Amino acid sequence: MKVLLIGLGSIAKKHISALRVIDPTISISALRSNRNSAPYLGVEDIYDINDIVFEEYSFAIISNPTSEHAKTVETLIGYNIPLFIEKPIFAELDHEDILKKINDNHIKSYVACDMRFLDCLNYTYDYIHGEGNRRRVNEVNVYCGSYLPDWRPGTDYKRCYSAIPELGGGVHIDLIHDIDYVYWIFGAPLYTQKVFRNNSSIEIKAIDYANYTMVYEQFCTSVILNYYRRDAKRTMEIVFSDGTWLVDMNANQIKDEIGNIVYSSEQSSMDCYIKQLKNFMDSLNNENSKSSNDAFEAYEVLKICLV
């Protein structure tokens, strides 16, 4: 098997590690934008798209800056290659024309939201959708806060794409995972209200605080995202009619209202990367199968984030 990477940053390297676990014999190439970029062990560097024999590749992973996704996706559609796109699908909306081309050309796609493969969230999904569940949800509160300067040690955080709006940075789409799993578990909201800010102590141009209220028929979901919390926290509180669950993504654990452990997992973050790649690769082997989060579903989530 051969896989093509567009972009070779930190996230791409995680995908490479996952691919090598799935298939140690895999062959990986990367389309690089800079001939002075450092090589990566075992990855073939390509500098001109015209040098790529696309028929040799099973799929392409798009992991360049978010601001380049739309142009990259549109270009690769012409080569009829399945697309594994790092989240978010685009940096902005008004790309229905690209989605139409994906549909018209029958391009298989997946947008990488690896938290859909996190054990505690899968347990929550199965519980909420289980036939035996009769508990009513009255309220959902989602929180994700961490400290952007600590994300990439040894680099200037103000120069990374997360801090630069022109590159598709900003907590509202950088942390789209938390909107995505709410959409995945509870479905599309009736409507959404939001507040964006960027005047915190980390002093970046991109949005560093986002607050969403997602309105459903029987309950509301609050989602708060930020780049400036030093003690990282990523949780979802589900207030049922008769109790409360605290789903802690960092601990991969669920506790009830009195602290009893409902569910716990030792799963690693790399396991999620491996699971999502396996899911996408399995879909490629079945013409009638659909990946768990294709371009069309991911675009609906992006609308929630941006509209």
Side-chain angles (χ1 to χ4, degrees):
M1 173 181 281
K2 291 187 71 173
V3 174
L4 174 66
L5 288 167
I6 311 296
L8 191 50
S10 58
I11 296 297
K13 291 169 184 175
K14 290 183 179 180
H15 293 314
I16 290 171
S17 295
L19 285 168
R20 287 174 172 165
V21 170
I22 295 169
D23 181 2
T25 68
I26 200 163
S27 176
I28 301 172
S29 305
L31 181 63
R32 311 295 297 273
S33 59
N34 186 349
R35 290 183 178 273
N36 295 321
S37 297
Y40 194 71
L41 184 64
V43 176
E44 175 195 16
D45 288 339
I46 303 174
Y47 298 99
D48 188 334
I49 195 169
N50 295 312
D51 293 335
I52 301 172
V53 182
F54 280 90
E55 293 79 6
E56 295 181 355
Y57 293 90
S58 299
F59 62 95
I61 296 177
I62 297 174
S63 52
N64 53 1
T66 304
S67 57
E68 298 295 314
H69 282 192
K71 181 174 69 175
T72 304
V73 170
E74 189 164 30
T75 297
L76 293 186
I77 288 171
Y79 295 100
N80 196 36
I81 186 170
L83 302 176
F84 180 104
I85 307 163
E86 184 54 43
K87 62 80 188 167
I89 183 171
F90 304 129
E92 66 286 304
L93 298 175
D94 298 324
H95 289 305
E96 287 80 4
D97 56 328
I98 297 179
L99 294 180
K100 185 177 186 303
K101 290 177 183 178
I102 290 174
N103 183 67
D104 291 348
N105 289 275
H106 307 290
I107 303 295
K108 286 217 170 184
S109 62
Y110 168 75
V111 177
C113 284
D114 60 287
M115 286 185 68
R116 289 193 182 206
F117 297 88
L118 188 66
D119 284 348
C120 64
L121 288 179
N122 274 270
Y123 184 92
T124 303
Y125 178 94
D126 290 342
Y127 183 84
I128 293 294
H129 292 271
E131 291 184 5
N133 177 32
R134 297 291 182 267
R135 302 176 82 184
R136 173 169 172 162
V137 175
N138 282 330
E139 178 183 321
V140 178
N141 299 300
V142 171
Y143 186 97
C144 180
S146 59
Y147 194 54
L148 181 63
D150 289 344
W151 281 22
R152 301 171 180 91
T155 65
D156 181 354
Y157 73 93
K158 292 186 179 182
R159 297 174 65 88
C160 73
Y161 84 89
S162 297
I164 303 172
E166 293 81 7
L167 295 181
V171 73
H172 59 312
I173 52 177
D174 208 2
L175 298 181
I176 197 172
H177 287 292
D178 300 85
I179 299 292
D180 177 76
Y181 74 68
V182 170
Y183 180 97
W184 170 55
I185 294 172
F186 298 105
L190 300 175
Y191 63 91
T192 302
Q193 297 176 329
K194 63 183 181 298
V195 174
F196 292 159
R197 304 271 292 193
N198 72 330
N199 61 344
S200 79
S201 57
I202 64 172
E203 298 181 335
I204 61 173
K205 292 181 179 179
I207 292 166
D208 61 14
Y209 171 86
N211 187 326
Y212 295 87
T213 299
M214 300 169 66
V215 179
Y216 291 84
E217 184 175 350
Q218 293 188 331
F219 62 92
C220 290
T221 296
S222 167
V223 180
I224 295 176
L225 312 172
N226 72 62
Y227 275 152
Y228 49 75
R229 184 183 176 114
R230 287 180 177 266
D231 56 323
K233 176 182 176 181
R234 197 168 213 165
T235 59
M236 173 172 59
E237 182 187 61
I238 305 175
V239 182
F240 294 106
S241 54
D242 60 347
T244 303
W245 274 13
L246 183 67
V247 185
D248 187 334
M249 273 65 78
N250 289 341
N252 209 347
Q253 189 176 83
I254 303 171
K255 291 184 178 180
D256 66 14
E257 67 277 4
I258 59 174
N260 292 325
I261 295 175
V262 175
Y263 178 83
S264 185
S265 171
E266 297 297 321
Q267 176 193 38
S268 70
S269 60
M270 181 52 61
D271 289 334
C272 294
Y273 279 83
I274 293 168
K275 280 188 172 183
Q276 73 170 350
L277 272 164
K278 280 185 174 179
N279 177 269
F280 177 65
M281 292 163 72
D282 288 345
S283 77
L284 299 182
N285 296 324
N286 185 341
E287 286 187 10
N288 299 318
S289 70
K290 174 181 175 292
S291 62
S292 63
N293 185 34
D294 65 15
F296 307 94
E297 184 168 335
Y299 196 68
E300 292 302 311
V301 175
L302 188 65
K303 285 181 185 178
I304 295 171
C305 293
L306 298 181
V307 172

